[in-house]
Structure formats: structure tokens, C-alpha cells
Amino acid sequence: MTDEMKFELLAYADGELSASARRNVEARLATDVGARALLAELQMTRQTLGSNEPAQPLPESREFYWSKIEREINRLESAGERRAPSPILQWWRRLILPAAGLAVLALTLSVNVLPGVGRGGSGVEASFPGAEALTYRDQAQGVTLVWLSYPGEDEARDYEAAPPDGDWL
Amino acid sequence: MSANRDHSAAADEALVSWAKQGDMRAFEELVARHRDKIYARAFGMMRNEDEALDLSQEAWVKGWQRLKQFQGESSFSTWMTRIVINLCLDALRRRKRQHAESIELMAEESGGVERHMPIVTVNPTEGLERADLRQRIDQALAQVSEVHRTVLVLHEFEGLEYKEIAKAMKCSIGTVMSRLFYARRRMAVLMASWKREQES
């Protein structure tokens, strides 16, 4: 029996096969004693394990276990409050970024309009330090792109986001 | 507000709703109800008490932080289990990068020894009390490789489909099938050895 046949038997035992694949396996099982024996073993093992998951009681008291969780939650929330920028600073950042983007755009357009300036180039890239704005200009195609980005919140930067409702990231 | 609520009598849905509003006592009740399962899942994958405690507690902290993302499409217990499984898988990947596997385990994972395993026909549960059977299964799980144990936990105990396991373990469905096949066969052989011990 090939490995592929064995894995097909496993998938058959676990209900993971399509209808047509199931029919193929059943046709083989009708004549293959070895396949039937292997399938029976796979099914028996699955049933035994699924019905008898070992119990693992928590080796700590409820209060102690919870106290560590609560302490960590409080610590993280306090740290988050200390890191959060002041409302005034947040307002200023929201104002300066669009203004910086507009300034970059104005500069780019002025370079394009002025005759003899920067002609013939392609793929010019400039950055506006501190304002998180990037400009790309392709003179050959006459295309100018301005990219603006706001600084991400802590949550968005945290890659270990919990899968929403049981889904996997 | 929190003092007027009967947390111990409330359903999980109500506790989640209160916890989303910042009711820490509601979240504590959720922890009390589901901590054994979350810890058991962590221990089943890590086979180390300290690591399982740390990872299960980390899962609860993340659960609190991400509570607003929980919309109730699955049970709260399932949602928390997914969090702890993710953490355990990350921890196992870090562990694998740090430690080289033995040649025996590599051979086991590649299925090389499976070809020499006779097919088991005896029922390993006959004559065993349930508590004894569970203990023996636990001992057998400790003897298989991390990769095999992971796929067994995810499929046999957590009930995940192949494609879900593949996504969680960051591998192909074919790899999941291969691992699960060899893992289940290995467990069958280990469980069959109990019968021989009993009869001898």
C-alpha cells in the first residue's frame, strides 16, 4: 500500500474526503483486507483518544492563578496609559502630517511645472523626514505619488492579535 | 455596578459583555470557569507545567486585551482555546529553533519506523477503568514527538479540521495528513503495548 493510499484511508476515517474520493476508497476497501484492517485501527485509535482526553488539573489555587493574571493586566494597562501621547500632541500630529503632505505635493508640482527642471528622470523618490510622508515621481510617465501614513496604535502594531472568533491569523 | 451583579450565576455571554465594559470581576469568573481547560490544552502541547502555566496566563491576559474582537460567533471557551494554542505553537517553534531533535525523533516524524509497525487489532480500552485509560494515554502522549503530539492535540482533542490545523501549524494539508497518520499509528502501537503488559 502506498503512503498516498494510507493517507487517504486516514482522511476517510476522519471524514475529510470528497464524495468521489470516498467512493474510490470504499471500492478499494471492498477487496483489500489490509486496507480494512488499517482503517479499523485508525478509527479505533481516533475514537479512543477523542473520548479519553487526559485531565490536567491546574496545579495552582484559583486565587493565586488569578492574582498573576490580574497583576499583569494592571501592569500593561498602566504602561499603556504612560505611553499614550497627550491629546494636544495627538491633535498636533494629525494637523502636521496632512500639512506636510500638502507641502510635499506643492513642491513636487512646482518642480514638474517649472521648465527645464528635473526633466527626463524616472523613479525619483524623496522623503520628508519626521512627517512619515514619501513621494515617488516618474517624470517619463508624468506620475507623482505622495504616500502619507499615521503612526500606528499599539494594538495595530502587535502582531499577536487574537484570532477573531476562533479563526486563525 | 460590578458589585450588584451575580457573576457566579451569569452565563458566559453576560460575563463577556460585562467584561467588555471593564468589569474585571466578570473576567475573573470566566477565568475560573475555563482555566482548567485552557491550562490542559497548554500542558497537552508543551508537556511542561511551568511553561503551560505561563502560556495559559499569557493567553488570559491577551483575552482581556482582545475582548472587543470577540463577537460571539464561537463559544468564549473555543475563542480562548485558540489563543492559547497560537501561543503554544509560537513557543514550540521557538523551542525547535533552539534545540536540535534527536535522530530517533526525526525518524519517527518522517514515518520511517511506521513501515515496521504491525497493524493493531486489539482494543486497548478493554478492561481499563477510564481514569487508568486517560493516564495511559497521557503517558503515551509524552512519548511521541512534539510535532506528532501537536497534531494529535489539535485534531483528536480540539476537533480541528485538516485545513485548520494546516493554517495553525503553517504547513500544507498533506503534511498534516502525514503527521497525523504517523502520530495515530504510533499511539496505536503504544496503546497495544498496554494489553501485552496486562496479559503478561
PDB file of all heavy atoms in Angstrom, chain B residues 78-114:
ATOM      1  N   THR B  78     -13.987  28.281  23.224  1.00  0.00           N
ATOM      2  CA  THR B  78     -13.300  27.978  21.965  1.00  0.00           C
ATOM      3  C   THR B  78     -12.370  29.122  21.575  1.00  0.00           C
ATOM      4  O   THR B  78     -11.237  28.896  21.138  1.00  0.00           O
ATOM      5  CB  THR B  78     -14.327  27.738  20.847  1.00  0.00           C
ATOM      6  OG1 THR B  78     -15.119  26.598  21.179  1.00  0.00           O
ATOM      7  CG2 THR B  78     -13.646  27.497  19.504  1.00  0.00           C
ATOM      8  N   TRP B  79     -12.834  30.326  21.711  1.00  0.00           N
ATOM      9  CA  TRP B  79     -12.029  31.501  21.366  1.00  0.00           C
ATOM     10  C   TRP B  79     -10.764  31.553  22.217  1.00  0.00           C
ATOM     11  O   TRP B  79      -9.659  31.752  21.698  1.00  0.00           O
ATOM     12  CB  TRP B  79     -12.873  32.751  21.576  1.00  0.00           C
ATOM     13  CG  TRP B  79     -12.235  34.032  21.157  1.00  0.00           C
ATOM     14  CD1 TRP B  79     -11.975  34.455  19.877  1.00  0.00           C
ATOM     15  CD2 TRP B  79     -11.798  35.090  22.020  1.00  0.00           C
ATOM     16  NE1 TRP B  79     -11.403  35.716  19.893  1.00  0.00           N
ATOM     17  CE2 TRP B  79     -11.289  36.122  21.202  1.00  0.00           C
ATOM     18  CE3 TRP B  79     -11.795  35.277  23.395  1.00  0.00           C
ATOM     19  CZ2 TRP B  79     -10.786  37.307  21.727  1.00  0.00           C
ATOM     20  CZ3 TRP B  79     -11.298  36.461  23.903  1.00  0.00           C
ATOM     21  CH2 TRP B  79     -10.795  37.465  23.066  1.00  0.00           C
ATOM     22  N   MET B  80     -10.908  31.332  23.513  1.00  0.00           N
ATOM     23  CA  MET B  80      -9.746  31.343  24.397  1.00  0.00           C
ATOM     24  C   MET B  80      -8.799  30.188  24.071  1.00  0.00           C
ATOM     25  O   MET B  80      -7.580  30.334  24.146  1.00  0.00           O
ATOM     26  CB  MET B  80     -10.193  31.232  25.861  1.00  0.00           C
ATOM     27  CG  MET B  80     -10.616  32.545  26.498  1.00  0.00           C
ATOM     28  SD  MET B  80      -9.348  33.840  26.428  1.00  0.00           S
ATOM     29  CE  MET B  80      -7.922  32.998  27.105  1.00  0.00           C
ATOM     30  N   THR B  81      -9.375  29.045  23.721  1.00  0.00           N
ATOM     31  CA  THR B  81      -8.535  27.894  23.385  1.00  0.00           C
ATOM     32  C   THR B  81      -7.685  28.202  22.159  1.00  0.00           C
ATOM     33  O   THR B  81      -6.515  27.811  22.098  1.00  0.00           O
ATOM     34  CB  THR B  81      -9.396  26.647  23.127  1.00  0.00           C
ATOM     35  OG1 THR B  81     -10.245  26.442  24.258  1.00  0.00           O
ATOM     36  CG2 THR B  81      -8.534  25.419  22.936  1.00  0.00           C
ATOM     37  N   ARG B  82      -8.264  28.878  21.199  1.00  0.00           N
ATOM     38  CA  ARG B  82      -7.493  29.243  20.015  1.00  0.00           C
ATOM     39  C   ARG B  82      -6.326  30.150  20.373  1.00  0.00           C
ATOM     40  O   ARG B  82      -5.234  30.063  19.806  1.00  0.00           O
ATOM     41  CB  ARG B  82      -8.379  29.947  18.990  1.00  0.00           C
ATOM     42  CG  ARG B  82      -9.495  29.101  18.433  1.00  0.00           C
ATOM     43  CD  ARG B  82      -8.986  27.993  17.526  1.00  0.00           C
ATOM     44  NE  ARG B  82     -10.095  27.322  16.878  1.00  0.00           N
ATOM     45  CZ  ARG B  82     -10.730  26.257  17.366  1.00  0.00           C
ATOM     46  NH1 ARG B  82     -10.348  25.733  18.512  1.00  0.00           N
ATOM     47  NH2 ARG B  82     -11.730  25.723  16.717  1.00  0.00           N
ATOM     48  N   ILE B  83      -6.562  31.060  21.311  1.00  0.00           N
ATOM     49  CA  ILE B  83      -5.491  31.966  21.726  1.00  0.00           C
ATOM     50  C   ILE B  83      -4.349  31.179  22.351  1.00  0.00           C
ATOM     51  O   ILE B  83      -3.177  31.383  22.009  1.00  0.00           O
ATOM     52  CB  ILE B  83      -6.019  33.033  22.725  1.00  0.00           C
ATOM     53  CG1 ILE B  83      -7.026  33.949  22.043  1.00  0.00           C
ATOM     54  CG2 ILE B  83      -4.863  33.844  23.306  1.00  0.00           C
ATOM     55  CD1 ILE B  83      -7.673  34.959  22.984  1.00  0.00           C
ATOM     56  N   VAL B  84      -4.667  30.270  23.255  1.00  0.00           N
ATOM     57  CA  VAL B  84      -3.596  29.542  23.932  1.00  0.00           C
ATOM     58  C   VAL B  84      -2.896  28.590  22.964  1.00  0.00           C
ATOM     59  O   VAL B  84      -1.679  28.398  23.058  1.00  0.00           O
ATOM     60  CB  VAL B  84      -4.126  28.811  25.189  1.00  0.00           C
ATOM     61  CG1 VAL B  84      -4.891  27.546  24.831  1.00  0.00           C
ATOM     62  CG2 VAL B  84      -2.997  28.486  26.133  1.00  0.00           C
ATOM     63  N   ILE B  85      -3.628  28.041  22.026  1.00  0.00           N
ATOM     64  CA  ILE B  85      -2.993  27.178  21.025  1.00  0.00           C
ATOM     65  C   ILE B  85      -2.005  27.975  20.188  1.00  0.00           C
ATOM     66  O   ILE B  85      -0.879  27.532  19.930  1.00  0.00           O
ATOM     67  CB  ILE B  85      -4.049  26.505  20.135  1.00  0.00           C
ATOM     68  CG1 ILE B  85      -4.774  25.405  20.907  1.00  0.00           C
ATOM     69  CG2 ILE B  85      -3.403  25.913  18.873  1.00  0.00           C
ATOM     70  CD1 ILE B  85      -5.933  24.775  20.161  1.00  0.00           C
ATOM     71  N   ASN B  86      -2.402  29.165  19.768  1.00  0.00           N
ATOM     72  CA  ASN B  86      -1.492  30.031  18.999  1.00  0.00           C
ATOM     73  C   ASN B  86      -0.214  30.305  19.776  1.00  0.00           C
ATOM     74  O   ASN B  86       0.898  30.247  19.231  1.00  0.00           O
ATOM     75  CB  ASN B  86      -2.179  31.363  18.686  1.00  0.00           C
ATOM     76  CG  ASN B  86      -2.742  31.403  17.282  1.00  0.00           C
ATOM     77  OD1 ASN B  86      -2.358  30.624  16.426  1.00  0.00           O
ATOM     78  ND2 ASN B  86      -3.688  32.304  17.058  1.00  0.00           N
ATOM     79  N   LEU B  87      -0.375  30.619  21.066  1.00  0.00           N
ATOM     80  CA  LEU B  87       0.793  30.914  21.899  1.00  0.00           C
ATOM     81  C   LEU B  87       1.685  29.685  22.037  1.00  0.00           C
ATOM     82  O   LEU B  87       2.920  29.790  22.005  1.00  0.00           O
ATOM     83  CB  LEU B  87       0.343  31.404  23.279  1.00  0.00           C
ATOM     84  CG  LEU B  87      -0.312  32.792  23.310  1.00  0.00           C
ATOM     85  CD1 LEU B  87      -0.877  33.091  24.691  1.00  0.00           C
ATOM     86  CD2 LEU B  87       0.700  33.869  22.918  1.00  0.00           C
ATOM     87  N   CYS B  88       1.063  28.538  22.212  1.00  0.00           N
ATOM     88  CA  CYS B  88       1.848  27.307  22.351  1.00  0.00           C
ATOM     89  C   CYS B  88       2.585  26.978  21.061  1.00  0.00           C
ATOM     90  O   CYS B  88       3.747  26.551  21.094  1.00  0.00           O
ATOM     91  CB  CYS B  88       0.942  26.144  22.753  1.00  0.00           C
ATOM     92  SG  CYS B  88       0.304  26.257  24.430  1.00  0.00           S
ATOM     93  N   LEU B  89       1.931  27.161  19.941  1.00  0.00           N
ATOM     94  CA  LEU B  89       2.592  26.885  18.664  1.00  0.00           C
ATOM     95  C   LEU B  89       3.787  27.816  18.475  1.00  0.00           C
ATOM     96  O   LEU B  89       4.844  27.392  17.993  1.00  0.00           O
ATOM     97  CB  LEU B  89       1.601  27.051  17.512  1.00  0.00           C
ATOM     98  CG  LEU B  89       0.538  25.946  17.404  1.00  0.00           C
ATOM     99  CD1 LEU B  89      -0.509  26.298  16.365  1.00  0.00           C
ATOM    100  CD2 LEU B  89       1.180  24.611  17.050  1.00  0.00           C
ATOM    101  N   ASP B  90       3.643  29.073  18.837  1.00  0.00           N
ATOM    102  CA  ASP B  90       4.775  30.001  18.750  1.00  0.00           C
ATOM    103  C   ASP B  90       5.913  29.546  19.658  1.00  0.00           C
ATOM    104  O   ASP B  90       7.087  29.592  19.272  1.00  0.00           O
ATOM    105  CB  ASP B  90       4.333  31.418  19.151  1.00  0.00           C
ATOM    106  CG  ASP B  90       3.486  32.080  18.081  1.00  0.00           C
ATOM    107  OD1 ASP B  90       3.504  31.600  16.930  1.00  0.00           O
ATOM    108  OD2 ASP B  90       2.799  33.070  18.399  1.00  0.00           O
ATOM    109  N   ALA B  91       5.543  29.132  20.865  1.00  0.00           N
ATOM    110  CA  ALA B  91       6.563  28.685  21.819  1.00  0.00           C
ATOM    111  C   ALA B  91       7.270  27.427  21.313  1.00  0.00           C
ATOM    112  O   ALA B  91       8.486  27.289  21.460  1.00  0.00           O
ATOM    113  CB  ALA B  91       5.929  28.424  23.185  1.00  0.00           C
ATOM    114  N   LEU B  92       6.516  26.524  20.720  1.00  0.00           N
ATOM    115  CA  LEU B  92       7.123  25.297  20.189  1.00  0.00           C
ATOM    116  C   LEU B  92       8.052  25.617  19.024  1.00  0.00           C
ATOM    117  O   LEU B  92       9.101  24.989  18.866  1.00  0.00           O
ATOM    118  CB  LEU B  92       6.034  24.324  19.742  1.00  0.00           C
ATOM    119  CG  LEU B  92       5.254  23.650  20.876  1.00  0.00           C
ATOM    120  CD1 LEU B  92       4.056  22.883  20.324  1.00  0.00           C
ATOM    121  CD2 LEU B  92       6.146  22.706  21.668  1.00  0.00           C
ATOM    122  N   ARG B  93       7.665  26.577  18.200  1.00  0.00           N
ATOM    123  CA  ARG B  93       8.547  26.963  17.091  1.00  0.00           C
ATOM    124  C   ARG B  93       9.839  27.557  17.619  1.00  0.00           C
ATOM    125  O   ARG B  93      10.922  27.279  17.099  1.00  0.00           O
ATOM    126  CB  ARG B  93       7.839  27.957  16.164  1.00  0.00           C
ATOM    127  CG  ARG B  93       6.904  27.297  15.165  1.00  0.00           C
ATOM    128  CD  ARG B  93       6.411  28.289  14.135  1.00  0.00           C
ATOM    129  NE  ARG B  93       5.275  29.046  14.617  1.00  0.00           N
ATOM    130  CZ  ARG B  93       3.996  28.683  14.448  1.00  0.00           C
ATOM    131  NH1 ARG B  93       3.709  27.565  13.813  1.00  0.00           N
ATOM    132  NH2 ARG B  93       3.012  29.428  14.901  1.00  0.00           N
ATOM    133  N   ARG B  94       9.737  28.378  18.657  1.00  0.00           N
ATOM    134  CA  ARG B  94      10.951  28.954  19.249  1.00  0.00           C
ATOM    135  C   ARG B  94      11.810  27.850  19.848  1.00  0.00           C
ATOM    136  O   ARG B  94      13.038  27.846  19.708  1.00  0.00           O
ATOM    137  CB  ARG B  94      10.586  29.966  20.336  1.00  0.00           C
ATOM    138  CG  ARG B  94      10.075  31.278  19.816  1.00  0.00           C
ATOM    139  CD  ARG B  94      10.066  32.327  20.928  1.00  0.00           C
ATOM    140  NE  ARG B  94       9.203  31.967  22.033  1.00  0.00           N
ATOM    141  CZ  ARG B  94       7.902  32.250  22.098  1.00  0.00           C
ATOM    142  NH1 ARG B  94       7.327  32.893  21.098  1.00  0.00           N
ATOM    143  NH2 ARG B  94       7.183  31.911  23.147  1.00  0.00           N
ATOM    144  N   ARG B  95      11.152  26.894  20.492  1.00  0.00           N
ATOM    145  CA  ARG B  95      11.891  25.802  21.124  1.00  0.00           C
ATOM    146  C   ARG B  95      12.596  24.962  20.065  1.00  0.00           C
ATOM    147  O   ARG B  95      13.737  24.550  20.237  1.00  0.00           O
ATOM    148  CB  ARG B  95      10.917  24.934  21.918  1.00  0.00           C
ATOM    149  CG  ARG B  95      11.597  23.892  22.797  1.00  0.00           C
ATOM    150  CD  ARG B  95      10.615  22.826  23.212  1.00  0.00           C
ATOM    151  NE  ARG B  95       9.794  23.209  24.341  1.00  0.00           N
ATOM    152  CZ  ARG B  95       8.830  22.425  24.852  1.00  0.00           C
ATOM    153  NH1 ARG B  95       8.600  21.249  24.322  1.00  0.00           N
ATOM    154  NH2 ARG B  95       8.115  22.816  25.881  1.00  0.00           N
ATOM    155  N   LYS B  96      11.931  24.746  18.955  1.00  0.00           N
ATOM    156  CA  LYS B  96      12.514  23.914  17.907  1.00  0.00           C
ATOM    157  C   LYS B  96      13.741  24.583  17.303  1.00  0.00           C
ATOM    158  O   LYS B  96      14.711  23.925  16.939  1.00  0.00           O
ATOM    159  CB  LYS B  96      11.476  23.653  16.812  1.00  0.00           C
ATOM    160  CG  LYS B  96      11.871  22.559  15.850  1.00  0.00           C
ATOM    161  CD  LYS B  96      10.686  22.069  15.037  1.00  0.00           C
ATOM    162  CE  LYS B  96      11.096  20.882  14.197  1.00  0.00           C
ATOM    163  NZ  LYS B  96       9.981  20.226  13.537  1.00  0.00           N
ATOM    164  N   ARG B  97      13.705  25.923  17.228  1.00  0.00           N
ATOM    165  CA  ARG B  97      14.844  26.643  16.663  1.00  0.00           C
ATOM    166  C   ARG B  97      16.054  26.549  17.579  1.00  0.00           C
ATOM    167  O   ARG B  97      17.195  26.624  17.137  1.00  0.00           O
ATOM    168  CB  ARG B  97      14.494  28.108  16.428  1.00  0.00           C
ATOM    169  CG  ARG B  97      13.698  28.362  15.181  1.00  0.00           C
ATOM    170  CD  ARG B  97      13.775  29.832  14.807  1.00  0.00           C
ATOM    171  NE  ARG B  97      13.112  30.689  15.782  1.00  0.00           N
ATOM    172  CZ  ARG B  97      11.819  31.001  15.742  1.00  0.00           C
ATOM    173  NH1 ARG B  97      11.061  30.520  14.785  1.00  0.00           N
ATOM    174  NH2 ARG B  97      11.291  31.794  16.652  1.00  0.00           N
ATOM    175  N   GLN B  98      15.767  26.364  18.879  1.00  0.00           N
ATOM    176  CA  GLN B  98      16.860  26.388  19.848  1.00  0.00           C
ATOM    177  C   GLN B  98      17.472  25.013  20.073  1.00  0.00           C
ATOM    178  O   GLN B  98      18.617  24.892  20.450  1.00  0.00           O
ATOM    179  CB  GLN B  98      16.368  26.940  21.193  1.00  0.00           C
ATOM    180  CG  GLN B  98      16.040  28.426  21.141  1.00  0.00           C
ATOM    181  CD  GLN B  98      15.197  28.857  22.318  1.00  0.00           C
ATOM    182  OE1 GLN B  98      14.878  28.059  23.186  1.00  0.00           O
ATOM    183  NE2 GLN B  98      14.826  30.113  22.348  1.00  0.00           N
ATOM    184  N   HIS B  99      16.668  23.984  19.876  1.00  0.00           N
ATOM    185  CA  HIS B  99      17.172  22.646  20.183  1.00  0.00           C
ATOM    186  C   HIS B  99      17.057  21.745  18.965  1.00  0.00           C
ATOM    187  O   HIS B  99      16.011  21.648  18.359  1.00  0.00           O
ATOM    188  CB  HIS B  99      16.356  22.020  21.323  1.00  0.00           C
ATOM    189  CG  HIS B  99      16.376  22.845  22.570  1.00  0.00           C
ATOM    190  ND1 HIS B  99      17.481  22.937  23.369  1.00  0.00           N
ATOM    191  CD2 HIS B  99      15.441  23.631  23.133  1.00  0.00           C
ATOM    192  CE1 HIS B  99      17.210  23.739  24.393  1.00  0.00           C
ATOM    193  NE2 HIS B  99      15.993  24.172  24.273  1.00  0.00           N
ATOM    194  N   ALA B 100      18.136  21.033  18.665  1.00  0.00           N
ATOM    195  CA  ALA B 100      18.094  20.076  17.565  1.00  0.00           C
ATOM    196  C   ALA B 100      17.386  18.809  18.029  1.00  0.00           C
ATOM    197  O   ALA B 100      17.486  18.421  19.192  1.00  0.00           O
ATOM    198  CB  ALA B 100      19.520  19.739  17.132  1.00  0.00           C
ATOM    199  N   GLU B 101      16.636  18.202  17.151  1.00  0.00           N
ATOM    200  CA  GLU B 101      15.919  16.980  17.520  1.00  0.00           C
ATOM    201  C   GLU B 101      16.837  15.780  17.442  1.00  0.00           C
ATOM    202  O   GLU B 101      17.780  15.751  16.670  1.00  0.00           O
ATOM    203  CB  GLU B 101      14.734  16.771  16.587  1.00  0.00           C
ATOM    204  CG  GLU B 101      13.546  17.636  16.940  1.00  0.00           C
ATOM    205  CD  GLU B 101      12.323  17.225  16.158  1.00  0.00           C
ATOM    206  OE1 GLU B 101      12.483  16.729  15.039  1.00  0.00           O
ATOM    207  OE2 GLU B 101      11.217  17.394  16.666  1.00  0.00           O
ATOM    208  N   SER B 102      16.514  14.779  18.217  1.00  0.00           N
ATOM    209  CA  SER B 102      17.311  13.561  18.172  1.00  0.00           C
ATOM    210  C   SER B 102      17.026  12.842  16.859  1.00  0.00           C
ATOM    211  O   SER B 102      16.006  13.062  16.204  1.00  0.00           O
ATOM    212  CB  SER B 102      16.957  12.650  19.343  1.00  0.00           C
ATOM    213  OG  SER B 102      15.636  12.160  19.177  1.00  0.00           O
ATOM    214  N   ILE B 103      17.959  11.981  16.502  1.00  0.00           N
ATOM    215  CA  ILE B 103      17.794  11.228  15.255  1.00  0.00           C
ATOM    216  C   ILE B 103      16.565  10.333  15.340  1.00  0.00           C
ATOM    217  O   ILE B 103      15.833  10.161  14.363  1.00  0.00           O
ATOM    218  CB  ILE B 103      19.071  10.403  14.988  1.00  0.00           C
ATOM    219  CG1 ILE B 103      20.229  11.344  14.663  1.00  0.00           C
ATOM    220  CG2 ILE B 103      18.851   9.423  13.847  1.00  0.00           C
ATOM    221  CD1 ILE B 103      21.556  10.652  14.473  1.00  0.00           C
ATOM    222  N   GLU B 104      16.301   9.802  16.541  1.00  0.00           N
ATOM    223  CA  GLU B 104      15.145   8.918  16.689  1.00  0.00           C
ATOM    224  C   GLU B 104      13.846   9.664  16.421  1.00  0.00           C
ATOM    225  O   GLU B 104      12.952   9.159  15.743  1.00  0.00           O
ATOM    226  CB  GLU B 104      15.106   8.327  18.113  1.00  0.00           C
ATOM    227  CG  GLU B 104      16.209   7.349  18.442  1.00  0.00           C
ATOM    228  CD  GLU B 104      17.535   8.015  18.751  1.00  0.00           C
ATOM    229  OE1 GLU B 104      17.566   9.245  18.926  1.00  0.00           O
ATOM    230  OE2 GLU B 104      18.543   7.298  18.804  1.00  0.00           O
ATOM    231  N   LEU B 105      13.743  10.882  16.956  1.00  0.00           N
ATOM    232  CA  LEU B 105      12.534  11.645  16.757  1.00  0.00           C
ATOM    233  C   LEU B 105      12.375  12.055  15.294  1.00  0.00           C
ATOM    234  O   LEU B 105      11.275  12.053  14.757  1.00  0.00           O
ATOM    235  CB  LEU B 105      12.537  12.887  17.647  1.00  0.00           C
ATOM    236  CG  LEU B 105      12.136  12.655  19.109  1.00  0.00           C
ATOM    237  CD1 LEU B 105      12.188  13.943  19.883  1.00  0.00           C
ATOM    238  CD2 LEU B 105      10.760  12.038  19.206  1.00  0.00           C
ATOM    239  N   MET B 106      13.493  12.393  14.661  1.00  0.00           N
ATOM    240  CA  MET B 106      13.416  12.773  13.258  1.00  0.00           C
ATOM    241  C   MET B 106      12.938  11.592  12.430  1.00  0.00           C
ATOM    242  O   MET B 106      12.133  11.740  11.512  1.00  0.00           O
ATOM    243  CB  MET B 106      14.777  13.264  12.775  1.00  0.00           C
ATOM    244  CG  MET B 106      15.144  14.643  13.331  1.00  0.00           C
ATOM    245  SD  MET B 106      16.868  15.072  13.071  1.00  0.00           S
ATOM    246  CE  MET B 106      16.976  15.119  11.300  1.00  0.00           C
ATOM    247  N   ALA B 107      13.418  10.403  12.779  1.00  0.00           N
ATOM    248  CA  ALA B 107      12.983   9.214  12.045  1.00  0.00           C
ATOM    249  C   ALA B 107      11.511   8.959  12.285  1.00  0.00           C
ATOM    250  O   ALA B 107      10.773   8.582  11.372  1.00  0.00           O
ATOM    251  CB  ALA B 107      13.817   8.006  12.503  1.00  0.00           C
ATOM    252  N   GLU B 108      11.078   9.178  13.510  1.00  0.00           N
ATOM    253  CA  GLU B 108       9.668   8.960  13.821  1.00  0.00           C
ATOM    254  C   GLU B 108       8.794   9.910  13.036  1.00  0.00           C
ATOM    255  O   GLU B 108       7.787   9.526  12.467  1.00  0.00           O
ATOM    256  CB  GLU B 108       9.438   9.160  15.322  1.00  0.00           C
ATOM    257  CG  GLU B 108       7.982   8.995  15.734  1.00  0.00           C
ATOM    258  CD  GLU B 108       7.746   9.417  17.169  1.00  0.00           C
ATOM    259  OE1 GLU B 108       8.531   9.007  18.029  1.00  0.00           O
ATOM    260  OE2 GLU B 108       6.779  10.154  17.410  1.00  0.00           O
ATOM    261  N   GLU B 109       9.205  11.196  12.989  1.00  0.00           N
ATOM    262  CA  GLU B 109       8.392  12.194  12.313  1.00  0.00           C
ATOM    263  C   GLU B 109       8.339  11.961  10.817  1.00  0.00           C
ATOM    264  O   GLU B 109       7.342  12.274  10.169  1.00  0.00           O
ATOM    265  CB  GLU B 109       8.921  13.582  12.613  1.00  0.00           C
ATOM    266  CG  GLU B 109       8.635  14.025  14.047  1.00  0.00           C
ATOM    267  CD  GLU B 109       9.201  15.384  14.334  1.00  0.00           C
ATOM    268  OE1 GLU B 109       9.539  16.089  13.375  1.00  0.00           O
ATOM    269  OE2 GLU B 109       9.319  15.729  15.514  1.00  0.00           O
ATOM    270  N   SER B 110       9.409  11.433  10.248  1.00  0.00           N
ATOM    271  CA  SER B 110       9.419  11.207   8.806  1.00  0.00           C
ATOM    272  C   SER B 110       8.674   9.933   8.426  1.00  0.00           C
ATOM    273  O   SER B 110       8.456   9.667   7.256  1.00  0.00           O
ATOM    274  CB  SER B 110      10.866  11.107   8.307  1.00  0.00           C
ATOM    275  OG  SER B 110      11.463   9.912   8.805  1.00  0.00           O
ATOM    276  N   GLY B 111       8.262   9.163   9.436  1.00  0.00           N
ATOM    277  CA  GLY B 111       7.464   7.977   9.159  1.00  0.00           C
ATOM    278  C   GLY B 111       8.272   6.753   8.810  1.00  0.00           C
ATOM    279  O   GLY B 111       7.721   5.729   8.431  1.00  0.00           O
ATOM    280  N   GLY B 112       9.585   6.871   8.958  1.00  0.00           N
ATOM    281  CA  GLY B 112      10.423   5.741   8.574  1.00  0.00           C
ATOM    282  C   GLY B 112      10.146   4.487   9.375  1.00  0.00           C
ATOM    283  O   GLY B 112      10.185   3.381   8.841  1.00  0.00           O
ATOM    284  N   VAL B 113       9.840   4.674  10.673  1.00  0.00           N
ATOM    285  CA  VAL B 113       9.610   3.495  11.509  1.00  0.00           C
ATOM    286  C   VAL B 113       8.208   2.930  11.329  1.00  0.00           C
ATOM    287  O   VAL B 113       7.939   1.789  11.698  1.00  0.00           O
ATOM    288  CB  VAL B 113       9.841   3.815  13.000  1.00  0.00           C
ATOM    289  CG1 VAL B 113      11.283   4.213  13.236  1.00  0.00           C
ATOM    290  CG2 VAL B 113       8.924   4.923  13.453  1.00  0.00           C
ATOM    291  N   GLU B 114       7.303   3.738  10.793  1.00  0.00           N
ATOM    292  CA  GLU B 114       5.910   3.301  10.683  1.00  0.00           C
ATOM    293  C   GLU B 114       5.774   2.053   9.832  1.00  0.00           C
ATOM    294  O   GLU B 114       4.903   1.198  10.097  1.00  0.00           O
ATOM    295  CB  GLU B 114       5.065   4.435  10.107  1.00  0.00           C
ATOM    296  CG  GLU B 114       3.564   4.131  10.056  1.00  0.00           C
ATOM    297  CD  GLU B 114       3.134   3.411   8.788  1.00  0.00           C
ATOM    298  OE1 GLU B 114       3.847   3.542   7.774  1.00  0.00           O
ATOM    299  OE2 GLU B 114       2.088   2.725   8.800  1.00  0.00           O
TER     300      GLU B 114
END
